[in-house]
Amino acid sequence: EAGVTQSPTHLIKTRGQQATLRCSPISGHTSVYWYQQALGLGLQFLLWYDEGEERNRGNFPPRFSGRQFPNYSSELNVNALELEDSALYLCASSRKGLGNQPQHFGDGTRLSIL
Amino acid sequence: AQSVSQHNHHVILSEAASLELGCNYSYGGTVNLFWYVQYPGQHLQLLLKYFSGDPLVKGIKGFEAEFIKSKFSFNLRKPSVQWSDTAEYFCALLRNSGNTPLVFGKGTRLSVIA
């Protein structure tokens, strides 16, 4: 089965610009999760979507937002980019619900802010 | 709020040495615990998971982990490491209730030298 796919692989922006990152989950998975992996900080939870609705949100400012489409793919939007937004952004998907549904990760989008 | 601590940031071992990576968590309720591995240039992969039952869980590639509830620990072990085990290892926790996301530790980088 195809894994979680993310695009683009690498995105270079300047301060103040807006970035859009995309994620396609594994077929049959309805939940999509976004994480930020910044140097030295590990993975920090950003957003969780399930069946088109935002289920939970991490401790990030409102300029981080997203959505999930009817086909369960998802977009992460980051407005008013700041230098500290430079990081690897990982998307994961799972079957509906939490608990015993492990998350499968994509390769990530590396966002570089100049 | 729950948290996960991985005290070793970088571990360097020779091939055939035994491995133990520490993971401690803080949460008083029922948890599900995971170890993920990220090989160089690859996406995060699930190594093993604990939901309930036998506290000693076996994962892929000869890894195992033991859940010790009294110590809030879920250490990862392997009796004999190989050069191909060089990777970053992440411990993660999932609360067994509510719409909550995975909480990751900051990761431990393992370097195996010949």
Coordinates of all heavy atoms in Angstrom, one line a residue, chain A residues 35 37 40-43 45 48 55-56 88 90 98-107, chain B residues 32 34 36 38 42-44 46 49 51 88 90 94 96 98-102 104-106:
Chain A
Y35 N 2.8 17.5 12.7 CA 3.8 17.7 13.7 C 4.9 18.6 13.2 O 5.2 18.6 12.0 CB 4.4 16.4 14.2 CG 3.5 15.5 14.8 CD1 2.8 14.5 14.1 CD2 3.4 15.4 16.2 CE1 1.9 13.6 14.7 CE2 2.5 14.5 16.8 CZ 1.8 13.6 16.0 OH 0.9 12.7 16.7
Q37 N 8.9 19.3 13.6 CA 10.1 18.8 14.2 C 11.2 19.8 14.0 O 11.9 19.9 12.9 CB 10.5 17.4 13.5 CG 11.7 16.7 14.1 CD 12.0 15.4 13.5 OE1 11.5 15.1 12.4 NE2 12.8 14.6 14.2
G40 N 16.4 20.1 17.9 CA 16.6 20.1 19.3 C 15.3 20.1 20.1 O 15.3 20.0 21.4
L41 N 14.1 20.1 19.4 CA 12.8 20.2 20.2 C 12.0 19.0 20.0 O 10.9 18.9 20.5 CB 12.0 21.4 19.7 CG 12.7 22.8 20.0 CD1 11.8 23.9 19.5 CD2 12.9 23.0 21.5
G42 N 12.5 18.0 19.2 CA 11.7 16.8 19.0 C 10.5 17.1 18.2 O 10.4 18.1 17.5
L43 N 9.5 16.2 18.2 CA 8.2 16.4 17.5 C 7.2 17.1 18.4 O 6.9 16.6 19.4 CB 7.7 15.1 17.0 CG 8.4 14.4 15.8 CD1 9.5 13.5 16.2 CD2 7.4 13.6 15.0
F45 N 3.3 18.4 18.5 CA 2.0 18.2 17.9 C 1.4 19.6 17.4 O 1.4 20.5 18.2 CB 1.0 17.5 18.8 CG -0.4 17.6 18.4 CD1 -0.9 16.9 17.3 CD2 -1.3 18.4 19.1 CE1 -2.2 16.9 16.9 CE2 -2.7 18.4 18.7 CZ -3.1 17.7 17.6
W48 N -4.8 18.1 14.5 CA -5.3 16.7 14.2 C -6.7 16.9 13.5 O -7.5 17.6 14.1 CB -5.4 15.9 15.5 CG -6.2 14.7 15.3 CD1 -6.4 13.9 14.2 CD2 -7.0 14.0 16.4 NE1 -7.2 12.8 14.5 CE2 -7.6 12.9 15.8 CE3 -7.2 14.3 17.7 CZ2 -8.4 12.0 16.5 CZ3 -8.0 13.4 18.4 CH2 -8.6 12.3 17.9
R55 N -9.9 18.1 15.4 CA -10.2 17.5 16.7 C -9.4 18.0 17.8 O -9.8 17.9 19.0 CB -9.9 15.9 16.5 CG -10.7 15.3 15.5 CD -12.2 15.2 15.8 NE -13.0 14.5 14.8 CZ -14.3 14.4 14.8 NH1 -15.0 15.0 15.7 NH2 -14.9 13.7 13.8
N56 N -8.2 18.4 17.5 CA -7.3 18.9 18.6 C -6.3 19.8 18.0 O -6.0 19.7 16.8 CB -6.7 17.8 19.4 CG -6.4 18.1 20.8 OD1 -6.1 19.3 21.1 ND2 -6.3 17.1 21.7
L88 N 11.2 20.8 10.0 CA 10.6 19.7 9.2 C 9.2 19.5 9.7 O 8.9 19.3 10.9 CB 11.4 18.4 9.4 CG 10.9 17.2 8.6 CD1 11.2 17.4 7.1 CD2 11.7 15.9 9.1
L90 N 6.0 17.2 9.7 CA 5.6 15.8 9.4 C 4.1 15.7 9.5 O 3.4 16.2 10.3 CB 6.2 14.9 10.4 CG 7.8 14.8 10.4 CD1 8.3 14.0 11.5 CD2 8.2 14.1 9.1
L98 N -8.3 7.0 18.1 CA -7.0 6.9 18.7 C -6.8 5.6 19.4 O -7.5 4.6 19.1 CB -6.8 8.1 19.6 CG -6.6 9.4 19.0 CD1 -6.5 10.5 20.0 CD2 -5.4 9.5 18.1
G99 N -5.9 5.6 20.4 CA -5.7 4.3 21.1 C -4.9 3.3 20.4 O -3.7 3.5 20.2
N100 N -5.6 2.3 19.9 CA -4.9 1.2 19.3 C -4.7 1.4 17.8 O -4.5 0.4 17.0 CB -5.5 -0.1 19.6 CG -6.9 -0.2 19.0 OD1 -7.4 0.8 18.5 ND2 -7.6 -1.3 19.1
Q101 N -4.7 2.6 17.3 CA -4.5 2.9 15.9 C -3.2 3.6 15.7 O -3.1 4.8 16.0 CB -5.6 3.7 15.3 CG -7.0 3.1 15.4 CD -7.1 1.8 14.6 OE1 -6.3 1.5 13.7 NE2 -7.9 0.9 15.1
P102 N -2.1 2.9 15.4 CA -0.8 3.6 15.3 C -0.8 4.6 14.1 O -1.5 4.4 13.1 CB 0.2 2.4 15.0 CG -0.7 1.3 14.4 CD -2.0 1.5 15.1
Q103 N 0.0 5.6 14.3 CA 0.2 6.6 13.2 C 1.3 6.2 12.3 O 2.4 5.8 12.7 CB 0.4 8.0 13.9 CG -0.8 8.4 14.7 CD -0.5 9.7 15.4 OE1 0.3 10.5 15.0 NE2 -1.3 10.0 16.5
H104 N 1.1 6.5 11.0 CA 2.1 6.2 10.0 C 2.5 7.6 9.4 O 1.7 8.4 9.1 CB 1.5 5.4 8.9 CG 1.0 4.0 9.3 ND1 1.8 2.9 9.2 CD2 -0.1 3.7 10.0 CE1 1.1 1.9 9.7 NE2 0.0 2.3 10.2
F105 N 3.8 7.8 9.3 CA 4.3 9.1 9.0 C 4.8 9.2 7.6 O 5.3 8.2 7.0 CB 5.5 9.4 9.9 CG 5.1 9.8 11.3 CD1 4.8 8.8 12.2 CD2 5.0 11.1 11.7 CE1 4.4 9.2 13.5 CE2 4.6 11.5 13.0 CZ 4.3 10.5 13.9
G106 N 4.7 10.4 7.0 CA 5.3 10.7 5.7 C 6.7 11.2 5.9 O 7.3 11.2 7.0
D107 N 7.4 11.5 4.8 CA 8.8 11.9 4.8 C 9.0 13.3 5.2 O 10.1 13.7 5.5 CB 9.4 11.7 3.4 CG 9.5 10.2 3.0 OD1 9.7 9.4 4.0 OD2 9.5 9.9 1.8
Chain B
N32 N -1.0 4.5 26.4 CA -0.5 3.6 25.3 C 0.9 4.2 25.0 O 1.1 5.4 25.0 CB -1.3 3.6 24.1 CG -2.7 3.1 24.3 OD1 -2.9 2.1 25.1 ND2 -3.7 3.6 23.7
F34 N 4.7 4.0 22.7 CA 5.2 3.7 21.4 C 6.7 4.0 21.4 O 7.2 4.9 22.0 CB 4.5 4.5 20.3 CG 3.0 4.4 20.3 CD1 2.3 5.1 21.2 CD2 2.4 3.5 19.4 CE1 0.9 5.0 21.1 CE2 1.0 3.4 19.3 CZ 0.3 4.2 20.2
Y36 N 9.2 4.9 18.1 CA 9.4 5.1 16.7 C 10.9 5.3 16.4 O 11.7 5.7 17.2 CB 8.7 6.4 16.2 CG 7.2 6.3 16.1 CD1 6.3 6.4 17.2 CD2 6.6 6.0 14.8 CE1 4.9 6.3 17.0 CE2 5.2 5.9 14.7 CZ 4.4 6.1 15.7 OH 3.1 5.9 15.6
Q38 N 13.7 6.7 13.3 CA 13.8 7.5 12.1 C 15.3 7.2 11.6 O 16.2 7.8 12.1 CB 13.6 8.9 12.3 CG 13.5 9.8 11.1 CD 13.1 11.2 11.4 OE1 13.4 11.8 12.5 NE2 12.4 11.9 10.5
Q42 N 15.0 8.7 6.1 CA 13.8 8.0 6.0 C 12.7 8.6 6.9 O 13.0 9.4 7.8 CB 14.0 6.5 6.3 CG 14.9 5.8 5.3 CD 14.9 4.3 5.5 OE1 14.0 3.7 6.0 NE2 16.0 3.7 5.2
H43 N 11.5 8.1 6.7 CA 10.4 8.7 7.6 C 10.4 7.9 8.9 O 11.0 6.8 9.0 CB 9.1 8.6 6.8 CG 8.7 7.2 6.4 ND1 8.9 6.7 5.1 CD2 8.1 6.2 7.1 CE1 8.5 5.5 5.0 NE2 8.0 5.1 6.2
L44 N 9.6 8.4 9.8 CA 9.4 7.7 11.1 C 8.7 6.4 10.9 O 7.7 6.3 10.2 CB 8.6 8.6 12.0 CG 9.3 9.7 12.8 CD1 8.2 10.6 13.4 CD2 10.1 9.0 14.0
L46 N 7.2 2.9 13.0 CA 6.8 2.3 14.3 C 7.7 1.1 14.6 O 7.7 0.1 13.8 CB 5.3 1.9 14.3 CG 4.8 1.4 15.6 CD1 4.8 2.4 16.7 CD2 3.4 0.9 15.4
K49 N 4.8 -1.1 20.1 CA 3.8 -0.4 20.9 C 3.3 -1.3 22.1 O 3.4 -2.5 22.0 CB 2.6 -0.1 20.0 CG 1.9 -1.3 19.3 CD 0.9 -0.8 18.3 CE 0.1 -2.0 17.7 NZ 0.9 -2.7 16.8
F51 N -0.1 -1.5 24.5 CA -1.4 -1.1 24.9 C -1.9 -1.6 26.2 O -2.4 -0.9 27.0 CB -2.4 -1.5 23.8 CG -2.2 -0.8 22.4 CD1 -2.2 -1.5 21.2 CD2 -1.9 0.5 22.4 CE1 -2.0 -0.8 20.0 CE2 -1.6 1.2 21.2 CZ -1.7 0.5 20.0
E88 N 17.6 7.8 14.8 CA 17.1 8.5 15.9 C 15.8 7.8 16.4 O 15.0 7.4 15.6 CB 16.7 10.0 15.5 CG 16.3 10.8 16.7 CD 16.8 12.3 16.6 OE1 17.2 12.7 15.5 OE2 16.9 13.0 17.6
F90 N 12.5 7.7 19.0 CA 11.5 8.6 19.7 C 10.6 7.7 20.5 O 10.0 6.8 20.0 CB 10.7 9.4 18.7 CG 11.5 10.4 18.0 CD1 12.1 10.1 16.7 CD2 11.7 11.7 18.5 CE1 12.9 11.0 16.0 CE2 12.5 12.6 17.8 CZ 13.0 12.3 16.6
L94 N 0.4 8.1 24.4 CA -1.0 8.4 24.0 C -1.9 8.1 25.1 O -1.9 7.0 25.6 CB -1.4 7.6 22.8 CG -2.7 7.9 22.1 CD1 -2.7 9.3 21.5 CD2 -3.0 6.9 21.0
N96 N -5.1 7.2 27.0 CA -6.1 6.2 26.6 C -7.5 6.7 26.8 O -8.4 6.0 27.1 CB -5.9 4.9 27.4 CG -6.6 3.8 26.7 OD1 -6.9 3.8 25.5 ND2 -6.9 2.7 27.5
G98 N -10.2 10.3 25.4 CA -10.3 11.6 24.8 C -9.6 11.8 23.5 O -8.9 10.9 23.0
N99 N -9.8 12.9 22.9 CA -9.2 13.2 21.6 C -7.9 13.9 21.9 O -7.7 15.1 21.8 CB -10.1 14.2 20.9 CG -11.4 13.5 20.5 OD1 -11.5 12.3 20.4 ND2 -12.4 14.3 20.3
T100 N -6.9 13.1 22.2 CA -5.5 13.6 22.5 C -4.5 13.0 21.5 O -4.7 11.9 21.1 CB -5.1 13.3 23.9 OG1 -5.1 11.9 24.1 CG2 -6.1 13.9 24.9
P101 N -3.5 13.8 21.1 CA -2.5 13.3 20.2 C -1.4 12.6 20.8 O -1.3 12.6 22.0 CB -2.1 14.6 19.5 CG -2.1 15.6 20.7 CD -3.3 15.2 21.5
L102 N -0.5 12.1 20.0 CA 0.7 11.5 20.5 C 1.6 12.6 21.1 O 1.7 13.7 20.5 CB 1.5 10.9 19.4 CG 1.2 9.4 19.0 CD1 2.0 9.0 17.7 CD2 1.6 8.5 20.1
F104 N 5.5 13.2 22.0 CA 6.8 12.6 21.8 C 7.8 13.1 22.7 O 7.8 14.3 23.2 CB 7.3 13.0 20.4 CG 6.6 12.2 19.3 CD1 5.4 12.6 18.7 CD2 7.2 11.0 18.8 CE1 4.8 11.8 17.7 CE2 6.6 10.3 17.8 CZ 5.4 10.7 17.2
G105 N 8.8 12.3 23.0 CA 10.0 12.7 23.6 C 10.9 13.4 22.6 O 10.6 13.5 21.4
K106 N 12.0 14.0 23.0 CA 12.9 14.8 22.1 C 13.8 13.9 21.3 O 14.5 14.4 20.4 CB 13.7 15.8 22.9 CG 12.8 16.9 23.5 CD 13.6 18.0 24.1 CE 12.7 19.1 24.6 NZ 13.4 20.3 25.2

